[in-house]
Amino acid sequence: MASSSAAPAGHGLFRQGRTLSMMLTFACTAECSQCSTLSSPRNRDHLPAADALRAIDEAAELGFLNVVFTGGEATLRWDDLLTCIGRASGHGLRTRLVTNAHWALTREAAETALDRLLDAGLDEINFSTGDEHARFVPLPRVAQAAAATARRGLTAHVMVELRQEREVTAARLLAEPAIQELEPEARALVRPSESPWMPVKPFKVERYPDGVASRREDLPKLAGCDSVLQTYTVQPNGRVAACCGLAMRLVPELNVGEVAGEHTLRTAIDEAEDDLLKLWLRAAGPEAILAWASDRDPEIAWEGMYGHRCQACLRLYKDPKVRAAIVDGYEEEIPAVVQAAWLKDRYVPSRLSELFGTAEDPTHPAAGGE
């Protein structure tokens, strides 16, 4: 099999290790309101296994770091999922699964599923829950899956939806009997984190706890987007996107290629890295661009509206006023964008490589997933 140490593709500025996000299906056992991938039990789109395996092979050839299996609900393609995990693992690529844990009906079912995933070569598992998910997958089922993961010495990452008013919290998950029954060492491996629930409408304002939605004073501590140009998502509809996938089906500009032939990812990378707005998003982040646009057009209001930056990104592409500001003024920003991109993706990784003796930035997590 091909080695994952090959030089990365693309002639643009981005040179760090990339993530392949693999969506085997848009089908899901849940139908959350405002689902960021527009998934549901009725969606029958699926990625042929041969196309998925070909994309994994190409990712290895191009020096990608890892493969994240998401959806939809990837475990609905169980046999193909195991095959794809095995292929990626065989290439030396790290693997991650994002799942709602609908399959953890009992302790025995959870343990059987975890054992098969680990035997296939899975390195990491992330669970999704919260008030929306819990309408379809009860919280005790997620706790059962997380407990089975922890008993096997693997960290159980659990992403919990964050809103101002909610029933499901990280504390409530940890209080579930399946978690409390764990030995202390295993219980410490269950690590929930709370992430803002994201509406898929650019002007819908979700209610969050104080301090979650971004404001101008938050800009200095907000980094650029680490997903765009780092994660390439292969979708069941045959499209390839240049980001992690949240709301990408609503933004044609984020879709940069088609699943076709041996050079699917290379073609997508070349297309994406020729786009100044994507470089700008990576260097500055969507909130900073919204702030810049609002300086040019005071009618553009954005502060206090966005807790999830992917919704802020959706606003960039969907708001005619923001688009007009970018079209009118982007040329004057080109030098700053290129310089920032060079510092972020060339100079800093190069210096870190010299300091730490590695070709990769040791502080840069492998992104992707939900």
Side-chain angles (χ1 to χ4, degrees), residues 157-169:
H157 299 278
V158 186
M159 188 67 72
V160 183
E161 304 156 15
L162 175 63
R163 286 169 160 160
Q164 182 170 320
E165 299 172 357
R166 61 204 172 109
E167 295 293 328
V168 178
T169 64

Side-chain angles (χ1 to χ4, degrees), residues 87-156:
R87 179 68 68 91
S89 180
H91 281 304
L93 297 168
R94 289 189 61 80
T95 56
R96 182 189 312 158
L97 171 64
V98 180
T99 175
N100 64 22
H102 71 99
W103 36 268
L105 294 169
T106 63
R107 173 170 174 163
E108 293 72 20
E111 291 183 342
T112 297
L114 258 297
D115 286 341
R116 294 190 66 188
L117 289 166
L118 294 175
D119 287 345
L122 187 70
D123 295 301
E124 181 180 335
I125 188 163
N126 294 19
F127 302 104
S128 302
T129 191
D131 283 20
E132 287 291 339
H133 283 83
R135 293 192 295 122
F136 307 94
V137 181
L139 187 61
R141 206 174 298 181
V142 179
Q144 193 74 262
T149 302
R151 280 194 293 269
R152 280 148 182 76
L154 191 67
T155 299

Side-chain angles (χ1 to χ4, degrees), residues 19-23 26 47 51 55 58 64 231-243 245 248 251-260 263-269 271-272 278:
T19 291
L20 173 62
S21 178
M22 181 67 66
M23 302 179 75
F26 283 138
L47 183 70
D51 289 340
E58 186 183 3
F64 278 53
T231 298
Y232 285 82
T233 301
V234 177
Q235 304 167 64
N237 59 9
R239 300 289 286 157
V240 181
C243 71
M248 66 187 174
V251 182
E253 295 90 340
L254 291 176
N255 293 274
V256 293
E258 300 278 352
V259 177
H263 303 299
T264 291
L265 297 178
R266 184 180 295 274
T267 301
I269 290 168
E271 176 72 20
K278 291 182 178 64

Side-chain angles (χ1 to χ4, degrees), residues 3-287:
S3 169
S4 61
S5 61
H11 55 268
L13 289 170
F14 185 80
R15 285 295 181 270
Q16 296 185 41
R18 299 184 178 92
T19 291
L20 173 62
S21 178
M22 181 67 66
M23 302 179 75
L24 294 174
T25 181
F26 283 138
C28 187
T29 58
E31 192 167 11
C32 300
S33 173
Q34 300 292 311
C35 173
S36 60
T37 59
L38 309 184
S39 300
S40 80
R42 297 184 304 280
N43 194 313
R44 301 303 180 193
D45 287 343
H46 72 277
L47 183 70
D51 289 340
L53 293 171
R54 189 161 48 243
I56 292 170
D57 292 343
E58 186 183 3
E61 292 171 1
L62 296 179
F64 278 53
L65 291 178
N66 63 337
V67 182
V68 178
F69 297 92
T70 181
E73 175 56 41
T75 62
L76 294 178
R77 297 278 305 281
W78 182 253
D79 291 338
D80 290 337
L81 172 63
L82 294 178
T83 298
C84 287
I85 290 172
R87 179 68 68 91
S89 180
H91 281 304
L93 297 168
R94 289 189 61 80
T95 56
R96 182 189 312 158
L97 171 64
V98 180
T99 175
N100 64 22
H102 71 99
W103 36 268
L105 294 169
T106 63
R107 173 170 174 163
E108 293 72 20
E111 291 183 342
T112 297
L114 258 297
D115 286 341
R116 294 190 66 188
L117 289 166
L118 294 175
D119 287 345
L122 187 70
D123 295 301
E124 181 180 335
I125 188 163
N126 294 19
F127 302 104
S128 302
T129 191
D131 283 20
E132 287 291 339
H133 283 83
R135 293 192 295 122
F136 307 94
V137 181
L139 187 61
R141 206 174 298 181
V142 179
Q144 193 74 262
T149 302
R151 280 194 293 269
R152 280 148 182 76
L154 191 67
T155 299
H157 299 278
V158 186
M159 188 67 72
V160 183
E161 304 156 15
L162 175 63
R163 286 169 160 160
Q164 182 170 320
E165 299 172 357
R166 61 204 172 109
E167 295 293 328
V168 178
T169 64
R172 182 174 167 187
L173 169 73
L174 293 175
E176 283 289 321
I179 305 297
Q180 288 297 306
E181 292 167 2
L182 293 171
E183 295 295 325
E185 185 175 349
R187 194 183 312 150
L189 292 175
V190 180
R191 298 178 185 173
S193 57
E194 298 184 323
S195 177
W197 181 250
M198 173 192 147
V200 291
K201 296 179 180 179
F203 291 98
K204 180 176 174 57
V205 179
E206 183 60 76
R207 297 181 63 194
Y208 300 113
D210 291 344
V212 172
S214 299
R215 307 191 69 85
R216 189 174 291 269
E217 56 263 31
D218 300 319
L219 293 178
K221 65 184 180 183
L222 293 174
C225 175
D226 279 336
S227 172
V228 67
L229 303 183
Q230 193 276 339
T231 298
Y232 285 82
T233 301
V234 177
Q235 304 167 64
N237 59 9
R239 300 289 286 157
V240 181
C243 71
C244 66
L246 300 186
M248 66 187 174
R249 295 178 68 186
L250 300 173
V251 182
E253 295 90 340
L254 291 176
N255 293 274
V256 293
E258 300 278 352
V259 177
E262 298 179 357
H263 303 299
T264 291
L265 297 178
R266 184 180 295 274
T267 301
I269 290 168
D270 287 344
E271 176 72 20
E273 293 188 0
D274 272 341
D275 186 335
L276 179 71
L277 183 52
K278 291 182 178 64
L279 287 173
W280 198 355
L281 282 166
R282 179 159 180 80
E287 302 90 348

Side-chain angles (χ1 to χ4, degrees), residues 319-336:
D319 183 354
K321 290 183 179 295
V322 177
R323 292 176 67 103
I326 292 173
V327 170
D328 289 343
Y330 80 92
E331 289 184 339
E332 65 190 54
E333 298 299 317
I334 291 175

